[in-house]
């Protein structure tokens, strides 16, 4: 999330995988803590936690100097959230058990899984993206059909899935949005997670008929709570995962800071300076938090819209505001907020619009009445919401 | 402590203190409790001072007695209200100290301030200070940061308890003292230590000094927070607080006199206690989380291996409970849980997993990320395994104390029946006038809540619409009362405490299934207020603020508003200025959320709900009118049921969102459009809705009335008469007085009638009459038109003489000139002043009066009114047949049928016999009316009704089937595709790639399949199962009918087996009658409460192959039971892969009437909710069957 090793960033790629972005930190932590590690792990469990949660601003010192690594390094925090949650995740993975991260969309589940995979096994690339079109091949194996038809079933014609690749090398496989896959596709994971081997019936009779998982192999899956009912996981599969619920960022200041940081970075990538007032960002984050929680900061009841109101969406709006002020300067960016909010909220359910109006009637109006100039301006902009 | 001390030095000073030897504790601490005997032994204490008010000194021997089985509690009440409550379990260090002292024969002294001391003030819970972390805690923060960083971490738990296993008692003592020191430092640096604590510590120091007289070694077992203030030399450093005279004298328990100085003021007691009450979540003060687990930690006495065993036992226990609840939780999971707990502890550097690690592991492995459903089952299992229900016992021979004596004294003081005067008495109380009555009322309420069976409330009827403010009771001291008092005594030692405890307990138990229901919160709030328990009122109000806006249905919101109003005005005893204010604020919030639930009213056909809508709109408008209300009303005005449309439109005009002319124009439009039976019915309902809201508007706003007047005026007779029953039905909403006023306005505006109220002298009137007479004679001489004899005093109306309408009802349709004068038309459609109608028109009025009467409400009981039932002098019809014939004669067959159906709807069963089964127009409305009547009919009448119902059902089902069947046909077949996915289609692949065949070196042919072809997945058509779960509670009639019809149609589809479950609070499986909608419908009885969860639970038992099962719930979703159960069922079903659909309404228009908040939560739980027409439902079913989308 925060690019810490900008030196290694290559200019022509939009994003870097975690293991490249934080290569220095990972190498440093591997050298820093040489305690016992679970089989197949590059770092000790404690270092993995430090990598994800940061070293609380304290510099860590290497015991003996290393030619390529700095002598001491402050590990930046990458995941804003409970440390205990990360601890549980690490313990789960250390037991080679499947880890399922669930939560509202936009709570950095995917980022956490990427960081964990990078820290544990050095790569976050063994990833299956779950969609309604994901087939069993993506979780088990596919065939190079040209070879298959030409030579018949041979190990050369076999195309490993990321999961099979992880099994062979004892690494962490990631399955994103697992609940978007069809249930019968998901269930391919059941035998993998319980037997820890995959059979290839087409190759029966040869040594390759069974692929056993090397130690260190495990699976991190993510699932959105909002996708419930799309393709519910079977009970058998659920039993093979430890569940961790990732909550939205609890602290308003931390969230505002995060939104600002990411919006600034994105706007600068777009080649402009970020010139949106902090008060506007405060308002934006407050509205998002209120609508997400169903309760305003003051404790007033708010009707939650059916749309996702994640931090990521708040960043998107902040970026739009930033780009708009940079390239199309036209007055106060605050004036654009209601329109953007309407765009975020009104997606598929028309009653969400009514809920946004209700929010304006409630908290926005009350805050305006309490004399806040920013909120009064927003209240005055109510006609933009129609 | 002016200078910042080095923590280490400060801690050393504390730990090394000899006079007294300090043992800083938390009041429930298994680790310390286990270490206390060893520590006291090591200190060689000769006197033990414990932090208890001096009043409890006499109880200490009983507390420590071998026969006393923990948990028990000491309670003290000072006259004037202050309460002290001190529960003890085996894992309470104080109890451990008392027991140790008893065994060693060492004296124990209560060293805290006596309860009656003025310095206690009245604030706060006396025990909170050692546990609660201060606001900006630097030291505490540092200590916490050293822990896990988990939100809500307990400082004491992290710094003392989890580190304890394997430590020496001494290091444990130091850890505890350090936590206390840190908390105290923080508290001093942020606002200072509360005065009450300083006063208590001063008293403790004095007591300890007295106890130490003669060089005896004193050990002080006190809250860790207080320890720094009691250390040697602490008194010198501490600024001595001003101290009340005589406090020191009273605090002389060291003499062992055993009695507090002023026993009359303080009532103390020792009562048994229970683990479930000890758990802090029970809402009792001074508790601890998970007592049974703490007990296990205490038993392990700091041995890490034993603690591992305890954790393993607890985890296994949770698994067993989960399995008992029907969830999977095998040994594998238990093993994994224990591993995670152990590894977490190791990662955090702990000797053994603590409570926190165990719960984290359990949630992680067993919870499966579902806060509802499985998560709830887990919470229940945890409660059973970790909390427990063990009850304590006081040793035999302990003096009687607690609730019984306290209540008896109170009864005697209030001169109510008691042990000395047990006879039954009837009381009439006026609590708002008399103070004594108020106290009696409160006591009776409290005892009632405790279930003591002492007093019994007697229903009191209020005068008029107002609620009764006096109460009546029947009270007697029957022999069972003292027994039940003893039982209730566990929950508190006074009636107030016991009532509060019982209410909390009941509330907690009943809401254990999930979040508390709105009904539960409202009852709880009312009870708490009646029992005069301000704290509980405040708490329930806070809960109400959580629960009500999120899930209350409209009726609940209205009940809630009433209750809150009563609270705000202080009609109920248990309010404070704060709660009264809070009630006002919550009422405003509730109003706002009511606006949010308005769309759920769209399909309502209940006049009361519509009246509520209007009332709500008016209140919301007074409060402030929002964008949301505007949007909701405009939505209702466009898409609601006719009744709601009318009302919403009226509301919009009342709130000045629309002009009155819009209203008039639309109303006129309705009249124009009312050409068919359906439109006429809609007209009646729309007018009814409109008039519920805007009756006065018609009188005052001319723009609203003009189009209506114009329309009624300009209709041809025939057209008017056709619409007359509908119009009359619509205006039936008005009260008789309202109608008179409207008629007055109308006649005034039409200006066509001599106003007899004119203040003219009789002489003048006589002159006018004579002139009229002369004029008429002259006119008649010119145009000798035959005219009816008794037209009312003709003025301008006389210019257009009216012939009596043709009895056949077929008055010249071509005649565009209105023949019935406008005023008479209004008389007809308002149903008033029928004696002023011409005789012909009066027949119409008479026929319609049979159905509508003269209305209800204001003015209906006025004896002097004209036009009573039956239209003045005319008698009502002797039989339904005659009436039906008259209707036929006046209005024709079509309208006659409408009127009769309407009569059936209003409960007149006899008219049904007049309907001709062969000729009747099948409509669901009629069918619902017939069915609602069928419930109360004897079999003989029912037999006559059957042909009618059969034809209605057959016709409707046939009509539905022709529309629905096409939606169900057509099945997907596998198709070839280039997208890799399904099985490879080898023949096609070969054919497609023949061009790429080449010959190998060895002469074999090699086909290089550059373009592989696959086949899509096809779903086999197999036995699908459709389960219709239909709500038959009260307001769902039309949907019930449609459900039954749909079930019958779908039951005819070969691949589908259709089940029909009707539920209210019970579930009836009517599957065997699905084929025959007639018997199905006659079997269903509408009425009763709503328990959707029960219906779903039964549906779940019918599921065999979840992925091929469709469950459709038809309900208004106003669940009368805890919502948690319903959400859990839905999650379970959704989780198993069943296709779910919630129908907020199942009828032709698809206009829903449902609880919006509940539906929203159901959607989140995995059940889409929509208002569907049977056709849309069939389409959905067809889509599922064909597997088009998942």
């Amino acid at each position: 999330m925060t690019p810490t090793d900008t030196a290694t960033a290559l200019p022509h790629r939009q994003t870097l995988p975690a293991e490249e972005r934080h290569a220095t930190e990972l190498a440093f932590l591997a050298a820093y803590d040489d305690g016992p590690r679970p089989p197949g792990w590059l770092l000790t469990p404690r270092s993995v936690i430090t990598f994800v949660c940061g070293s609380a601003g304290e510099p860590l010192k290497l015991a003996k100097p290393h030619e390529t690594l700095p002598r001491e390094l402050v590990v930046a925090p990458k995941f804003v959230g409970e440390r205990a949650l990360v601890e549980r995740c690490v313990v789960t993975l250390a037991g080679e058990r499947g880890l399922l991260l669930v939560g509202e969309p936009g709570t950095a589940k995917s980022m956490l899984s990427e960081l964990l995979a990078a820290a544990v096994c050095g790569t976050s690339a063994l990833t299956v993206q779950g969609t309604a079109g994901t087939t069993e091949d993506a979780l088990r194996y596919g065939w190079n059909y040209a070879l298959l038809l030409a030579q018949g079933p041979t190990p050369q014609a076999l195309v490993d899935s990321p999961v099979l690749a992880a099994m062979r090398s004892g690494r962490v496989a990631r399955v994103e949005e697992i609940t978007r896959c069809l249930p019968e596709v998901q269930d391919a994971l059941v035998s993998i997670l319980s037997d820890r081997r995959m059979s290839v019936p087409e190759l029966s009779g040869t040594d390759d008929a069974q692929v056993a998982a090397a130690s260190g192999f495990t699976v991190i899956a993510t699932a959105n709570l909002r996708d419930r009912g799309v393709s519910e996981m079977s009970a058998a599969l659920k039993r093979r995962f430890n569940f961790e619920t990732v909550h939205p960022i609890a602290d308003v200041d931390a969230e505002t800071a995060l939104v600002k940081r990411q919006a600034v970075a994105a706007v600068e990538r777009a080649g402009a300076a970020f010139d949106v007032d902090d008060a506007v960002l405060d308002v934006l984050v407050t509205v998002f938090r209120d609508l997400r929680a169903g309760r305003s900061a003051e404790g007033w009841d708010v009707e939650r819209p059916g749309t996702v109101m994640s931090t990521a969406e708040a960043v998107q709006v902040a970026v739009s505001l930033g780009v708009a002020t940079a390239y199309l300067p036209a007055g106060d960016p605050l004036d654009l907020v209601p329109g953007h909010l309407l765009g975020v909220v009104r997606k598929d359910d028309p009653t969400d619009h009514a809920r946004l109006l209700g929010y304006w009637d409630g908290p926005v109006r009350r805050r305006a009445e309490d004399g806040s100039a920013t909120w009064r301006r927003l209240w005055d902009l109510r006609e933009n919401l129609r | 402590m002016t200078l910042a001390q080095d923590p280490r030095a400060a801690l050393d000073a504390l730990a090394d203190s000899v006079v007294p030897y300090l043992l800083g504790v938390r009041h429930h601490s298994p680790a310390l409790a286990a270490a206390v005997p060893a520590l006291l032994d090591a200190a060689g204490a000769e006197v033990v001072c414990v932090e208890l008010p001096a009043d409890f000194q006499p109880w200490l021997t009983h507390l420590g007695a071998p026969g006393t089985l923990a948990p028990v509690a000491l309670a003290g009440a000072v006259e004037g209200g202050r309460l002290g409550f001190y529960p003890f379990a085996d894992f309470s260090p104080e109890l451990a100290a008392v027991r140790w002292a008893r065994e060693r024969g060492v004296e124990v002294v209560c060293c805290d301030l006596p309860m009656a001391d003025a310095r206690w003030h009245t604030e706060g819970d006396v025990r909170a200070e050692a546990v609660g972390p201060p606001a900006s805690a630097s030291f505490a923060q540092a200590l916490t940061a050293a822990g896990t960083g988990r939100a809500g971490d307990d400082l004491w738990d992290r710094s003392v308890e989890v580190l304890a296993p394997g430590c020496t008692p001494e290091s444990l003592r130091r850890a505890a003292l350090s936590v206390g020191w840190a908390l105290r430092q923080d508290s001093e640096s942020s606002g200072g230590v509360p005065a009450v604590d300083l006063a208590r510590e001063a008293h403790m120091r004095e007591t300890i000094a007295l106890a130490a007289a003669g060089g005896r070694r004193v050990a002080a077992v006190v809250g860790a927070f207080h320890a720094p203030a009691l250390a040697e030399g602490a008194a010198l450093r501490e600024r001595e607080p001003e101290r009340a005279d005589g406090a020191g004298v009273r605090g002389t328990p060291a003499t062992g006199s055993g009695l507090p100085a002023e026993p009359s003021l303080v009532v103390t007691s020792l009562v048994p206690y229970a683990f479930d009450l000890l758990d802090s979540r029970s809402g009792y003060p001074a508790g601890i989380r998970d007592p049974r687990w703490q007990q296990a930690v205490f038993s392990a006495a700091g041995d890490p291996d034993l603690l591992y065993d305890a954790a393993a036992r607890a985890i296994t226990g949770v698994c067993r409970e989960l399995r008992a609840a029907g969830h999977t939780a095998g040994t594998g999971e238990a093993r994994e849980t224990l591993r995670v707990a152990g590894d977490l502890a190791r990662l955090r550097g702990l000797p053994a997993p603590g409570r926190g690690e165990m719960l984290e592991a359990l949630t992680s492995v067993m919870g499966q990320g579902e806060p509802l459903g499985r998560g709830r089952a887990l919470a229940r299992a945890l409660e059973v395994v970790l909390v427990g229900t063990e009850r304590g016992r006081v040793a035999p021979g302990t003096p009687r104390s607690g609730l019984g004596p306290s209540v008896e004294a109170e009864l005697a003081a209030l001169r109510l029946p008691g042990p000395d005067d047990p006879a039954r008495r009837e009381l009439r109380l006026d609590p708002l006038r008399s103070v004594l009555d108020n106290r009696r009322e409160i006591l009776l309420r409290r005892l009632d809540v405790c279930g003591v069976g002492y007093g019994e409330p007697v229903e009191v009827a209020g005068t008029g619409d107002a609620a009764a403010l006096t109460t009546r009771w029947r009270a007697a001291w029957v022999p069972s009362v003292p027994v039940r008092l003893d039982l209730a005594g566990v929950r508190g030692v006074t009636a107030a405490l016991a009532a509060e405890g019982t209410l909390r307990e009941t509330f907690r138990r009943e809401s254990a299934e999930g979040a508390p229901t709105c009904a539960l919160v409202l009852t709880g709030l009312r009870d708490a207020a009646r029992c005069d328990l301000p704290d509980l009122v405040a708490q329930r109000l806070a809960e109400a603020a959580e629960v009500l806006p999120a899930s209350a249905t409209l009726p609940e919101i209205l009940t809630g508003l009433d209750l809150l109003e009563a609270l705000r005005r202080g009609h109920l005893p248990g309010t404070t200025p704060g709660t009264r204010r809070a009630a006002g604020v919550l009422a405003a919030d509730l109003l706002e959320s009511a606006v949010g639930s308005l769309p759920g009213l769209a399909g309502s056909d209940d006049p009361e709900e519509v009246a509520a809508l209007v009332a709500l709109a008016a209140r919301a408008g007074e409060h402030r009118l929002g964008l949301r209300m505007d949007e909701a009303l405009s939505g209702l005005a466009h898409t609601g049921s006719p009744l709601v449309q009318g009302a919403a439109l009226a509301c919009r005009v009342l709130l000045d969102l629309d002009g009155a002319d819009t209203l008039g124009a639309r109303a006129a439009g309705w009249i124009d459009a009312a050409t068919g039976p359906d439109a006429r019915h809609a007209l009646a309902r729309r007018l009814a809705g409109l008039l519920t809201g805007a009756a006065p508007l018609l009188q005052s706003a001319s723009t609203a009335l003009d189009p209506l007047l114009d329309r009624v005026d300009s209709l041809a007779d025939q057209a008017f008469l056709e619409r007359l029953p509908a119009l009359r039905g619509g205006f039936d909403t008005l009260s008789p007085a309202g109608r008179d006023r409207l008629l007055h306005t109308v006649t005034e505006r039409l200006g066509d009638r001599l106003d007899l109220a004119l203040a003219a002298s009789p002489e003048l009137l006589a002159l006018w009459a004579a002139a009229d007479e002369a004029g008429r004679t002259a006119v008649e001489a010119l145009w000798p038109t035959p005219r009816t004899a008794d037209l009312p005093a003709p003025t301008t109306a006389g210019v257009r003489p009216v012939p009596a309408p043709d009895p056949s009802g077929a008055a010249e349709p071509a005649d565009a000139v209105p023949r019935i004068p406008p005023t008479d038309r209004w008389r007809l459609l308002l149903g008033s002043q029928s004696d002023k109608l011409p005789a012909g028109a009066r027949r119409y009025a008479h026929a319609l009066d049979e159905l509508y009467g003269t209305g209800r409400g204001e003015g209906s009981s006025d004896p002097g009114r004209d036009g009573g039932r039956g239209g003045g002098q005319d008698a009502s019809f002797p039989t339904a047949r005659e009436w039906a014939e008259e209707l036929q004669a006046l209005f024709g067959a079509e309208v006659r049928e409408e009127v009769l159906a309407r009569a059936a709807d209003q409960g007149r069963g006899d008219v049904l016999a007049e309907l001709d089964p062969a000729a009747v127009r099948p409509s669901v409305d009629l069918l619902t009316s017939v069915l609602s009547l069928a419930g109360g009919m004897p079999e003989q009448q029912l037999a006559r009704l059957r042909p009618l119902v059969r034809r209605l059902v057959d016709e409707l089902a046939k009509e539905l089937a022709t529309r629905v069947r096409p939606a169900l046909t057509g099945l997907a077949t596998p198709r070839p595709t280039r997208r890799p996915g399904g099985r490879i289609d080898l023949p096609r692949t070969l054919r497609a790639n023949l061009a790429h065949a080449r010959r190998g070196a060895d002469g074999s042919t090699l086909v290089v399949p550059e373009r592989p072809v696959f086949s899509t997945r096809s779903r086999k058509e197999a036995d699908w199962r459709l389960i219709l779960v239909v709500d038959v509670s009260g307001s769902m009639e039309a949907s019930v009918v449609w459900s039954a019809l749909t079930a019958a149609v779908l039951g005819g589809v070969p691949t589908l087996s259709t089940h029909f479950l009707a539920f209210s609070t019970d579930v009836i499986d009517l599957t065997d009658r699905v084929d025959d909608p007639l018997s199905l419908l006659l079997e269903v009885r509408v009425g009763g409460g709503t328990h959707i969860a029960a219906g779903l639970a039964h549906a779940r038992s019918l599921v065999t192959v979840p992925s091929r099962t469709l469950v459709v719930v038809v309900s208004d979703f106003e669940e009368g039971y805890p919502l948690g159960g319903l959400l859990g069922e839905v999650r379970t079903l959704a989780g198993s892969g069943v296709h779910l659909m919630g129908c907020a309404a199942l009828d032709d228009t698809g206009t829903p009437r449902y609880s919006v908040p509940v539906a929203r939560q159901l959607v989140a739980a995995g059940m889409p909710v929509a208002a569907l027409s049977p056709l849309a439902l069939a389409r959905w079913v067809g889509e599922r069957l064909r597997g088009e989308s998942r």
Side-chain angles (χ1 to χ4, degrees), chain B residues 543-716:
Chain B
E543 262 151 18
E546 288 276 329
V547 174
L548 290 184
S551 59
T553 59
L554 206 55
E556 279 165 345
I557 287 181
L558 291 174
T559 324
L561 284 174
D562 286 348
L563 177 60
L564 290 171
E565 184 65 10
L567 284 179
R568 197 177 64 77
R569 291 176 187 274
H571 284 179
L572 297 172
T575 54
T576 59
T579 46
R580 282 199 285 275
R581 209 166 36 248
V585 173
L586 178 57
D589 273 358
L590 219 48
L591 216 50
E592 225 160 73
S593 72
V595 174
S597 64
L598 281 185
L601 271 184
S604 172
D605 200 37
D606 180 353
E608 278 184 26
E609 281 180 351
V610 169
L613 164 70
V614 174
L616 207 64
R619 284 177 87 159
E622 277 164 32
H623 183 56
R624 63 175 177 218
L625 182 69
L627 302 164
R628 183 72 189 272
M629 189 79 191
D630 185 351
E631 168 110 356
L633 284 179
S634 102
L636 288 180
H638 282 105
T639 60
S641 70
L643 189 68
V644 172
Q645 276 187 15
L649 212 59
C651 290
R652 286 188 66 82
V653 177
L654 287 181
L655 297 175
D656 214 11
L657 293 167
D658 285 344
D661 46 343
T662 328
L663 179 73
R666 274 197 80 173
W670 298 335
I671 297 183
D672 286 343
T675 49
D678 287 336
R680 281 199 287 271
H681 182 70
L683 167 66
R685 303 306 288 163
R686 283 190 179 121
L687 274 180
L690 184 92
L691 292 170
T692 315
L697 199 72
L698 285 184
Q699 291 154 38
S700 55
S702 61
T703 44
L705 191 56
D706 279 343
L708 267 182
L709 282 178
D710 181 47
R711 212 52 50 105
V712 170
D713 199 6
S714 64
L715 279 174

Side-chain angles (χ1 to χ4, degrees), chain B residues 411 416-418 424 427 443-444 447-448 451-456 474-478 481 484:
Chain B
L411 288 177
L416 287 169
R424 181 173 297 277
L427 304 149
L443 180 62
L444 285 166
L447 292 179
D448 192 35
V452 170
Y454 171 78
E456 180 190 344
R474 220 173 280 135
W477 182 265
V478 291
V481 171
R484 292 193 183 158

Side-chain angles (χ1 to χ4, degrees), chain A residues 362-377:
Chain A
V364 173
R365 176 159 178 164
R366 285 200 211 182
R367 286 170 189 151
E369 280 165 1
D370 288 348
S372 155
T374 328
W375 292 101
R376 177 145 346 126
R377 177 82 195 124

Side-chain angles (χ1 to χ4, degrees), chain B residues 845-1125:
Chain B
H846 181 45
L848 291 176
D849 281 344
E850 176 75 11
L851 173 56
Y852 295 107
T854 51
R856 299 159 300 278
E858 184 190 2
S860 59
S861 53
D862 193 350
R865 289 184 49 76
D866 55 351
R869 185 179 165 80
Q873 66 272 45
D874 301 329
S876 75
F877 294 98
T879 66
R881 166 151 309 204
E882 280 175 37
W883 183 40
E885 278 168 3
E886 175 81 356
L887 285 173
Q888 170 89 41
L890 290 174
F891 295 103
E894 199 179 54
V895 177
R896 159 183 170 269
E897 194 184 284
E898 279 168 48
V899 175
L900 289 184
R902 168 103 178 121
D905 206 21
Q906 292 196 345
R908 287 199 48 172
D910 52 346
V911 301
L912 289 177
E914 300 308 315
L915 289 174
D916 177 9
V920 79
R921 196 181 60 91
S923 81
V924 173
D925 284 331
L926 181 59
L927 185 54
T928 15
S929 320
V930 174
L931 286 172
S932 63
L933 284 174
M937 277 189 184
E939 185 53 40
Q940 193 191 357
Q941 275 189 38
L942 206 58
R944 274 192 280 148
L945 213 53
R946 259 174 216 279
L948 175 64
V949 183
R950 175 165 296 284
R951 183 171 123 74
L952 286 176
V953 169
D954 287 352
E955 288 288 324
L956 289 170
K958 197 157 67 183
E959 192 188 325
L960 188 63
T962 42
R963 280 187 294 153
V964 159
R965 288 260 161 76
L968 291 169
T969 53
L971 279 169
T973 45
R975 277 169 306 162
T977 171
R978 294 296 208 67
R979 299 170 60 86
R983 301 166 53 80
I984 187 159
D985 191 336
L986 279 175
R988 276 175 185 274
T989 306
L990 259 182
R991 275 204 300 278
N993 290 286
L994 281 177
H996 311 298
R998 59 191 166 88
R999 195 167 291 277
D1002 54 350
S1004 65
T1005 312
L1006 190 66
V1007 178
V1008 181
E1010 272 187 357
R1011 304 170 59 187
V1013 181
F1014 303 85
S1015 53
T1016 54
R1017 288 161 193 286
S1018 71
R1019 274 161 210 274
K1020 264 193 300 188
E1021 178 192 352
D1023 49 335
W1024 282 72
R1025 183 169 287 203
L1026 171 70
I1027 306 173
L1028 275 169
V1029 188
V1030 179
D1031 188 348
V1032 292
S1033 67
S1035 56
M1036 296 297 297
E1037 298 97 335
S1039 285
V1040 171
V1041 171
W1042 280 111
S1043 307
L1045 293 173
T1046 315
V1049 173
L1050 294 176
V1053 177
T1055 53
L1056 205 60
S1057 62
T1058 306
H1059 296 255
F1060 191 95
L1061 305 182
F1063 74 92
S1064 51
T1065 43
D1066 303 315
V1067 186
I1068 314 162
D1069 193 337
L1070 295 170
T1071 302
D1072 53 340
R1073 306 203 180 229
V1074 162
D1075 299 337
D1076 179 10
L1078 174 66
S1079 62
L1080 180 61
L1081 282 170
L1082 287 175
E1083 204 63 41
V1084 169
R1085 292 283 176 271
V1086 170
T1090 311
H1091 194 183
I1092 311 173
L1096 282 177
H1098 189 87
R1100 191 151 58 93
S1101 71
L1102 294 175
V1103 175
T1104 49
V1105 188
S1107 55
R1108 286 207 303 273
T1109 306
L1110 310 164
V1111 174
V1112 177
V1113 185
V1114 182
S1115 173
D1116 53 8
F1117 300 110
E1118 296 190 340
E1119 175 78 324
Y1121 287 76
L1123 211 50

Side-chain angles (χ1 to χ4, degrees), chain A residues 46 87-88 244 303 366, chain B residues 347-348 360 364 589 1160:
Chain A
R46 199 177 289 278
E87 288 178 352
R88 291 195 296 270
E244 286 302 337
E303 247 186 284
R366 285 200 211 182
Chain B
L347 190 71
R348 291 170 184 169
E360 281 179 68
S364 208
D589 273 358
R1160 210 160 53 218

Side-chain angles (χ1 to χ4, degrees), chain A residues 51-268:
Chain A
F51 174 69
V52 176
C53 295
S55 56
E58 305 278 330
L60 304 176
K61 282 200 181 83
L62 280 187
K64 52 180 187 290
H66 190 282
E67 62 269 29
T68 56
L69 294 174
R71 187 66 204 264
E72 56 177 51
L73 185 70
V74 178
V75 181
K78 296 161 197 74
F79 173 73
V80 186
E82 258 187 11
R83 185 188 172 86
L85 167 75
V86 181
E87 288 178 352
R88 291 195 296 270
C89 293
V90 170
V91 165
T92 299
L93 292 177
E96 298 188 340
R97 195 173 155 90
L99 171 67
L100 184 61
L101 299 171
V102 296
E104 299 276 309
T107 43
K109 294 179 298 296
S110 299
M111 189 197 73
L112 181 59
S113 88
E114 187 186 348
L115 289 172
L116 285 172
V120 166
C121 69
T123 177
S124 57
L126 299 171
T127 307
V128 181
Q129 182 68 44
T131 65
T134 304
T135 58
E136 223 169 289
D137 297 0
L139 294 179
R140 290 170 62 82
Y141 53 86
W143 292 98
N144 179 339
Y145 284 100
L147 272 180
L148 180 68
L149 280 191
Q151 302 175 352
T154 58
Q156 289 74 39
L158 196 70
V159 179
D160 285 4
S161 71
V163 178
L164 188 58
M167 287 175 76
R168 289 190 201 273
S169 55
R171 301 195 209 202
V172 178
R174 296 164 57 213
V175 184
E176 294 280 305
E177 308 276 6
I178 190 169
T179 44
R180 298 213 143 258
C181 305
L182 295 177
E184 52 266 37
V185 176
Q186 295 173 14
D187 283 349
L189 278 177
V190 172
S191 64
I192 295 173
L193 282 175
S194 54
D195 301 345
R196 302 270 155 182
R197 62 174 181 237
M198 198 187 288
S199 59
V200 186
E202 291 89 338
L203 297 179
S204 56
T206 67
D207 290 345
D208 300 306
Q210 296 268 335
V211 181
S215 35
F217 164 71
T218 185
V219 174
I220 306 180
T222 60
N224 273 339
L225 286 177
R226 293 282 171 110
D227 287 344
R228 276 286 162 73
V230 174
S231 296
E232 192 63 31
M233 290 171 74
S234 67
L237 187 55
K238 278 184 183 168
R239 285 184 52 220
R240 285 165 176 84
F241 277 106
N242 281 5
F243 282 62
E244 286 302 337
T245 308
V246 186
H247 294 286
I249 301 171
D251 180 32
V252 60
D253 293 335
E255 187 173 357
T256 315
L258 187 75
V259 168
K260 172 150 195 189
R261 205 162 60 231
Q262 299 206 345
V264 167
V267 173
E268 275 166 3

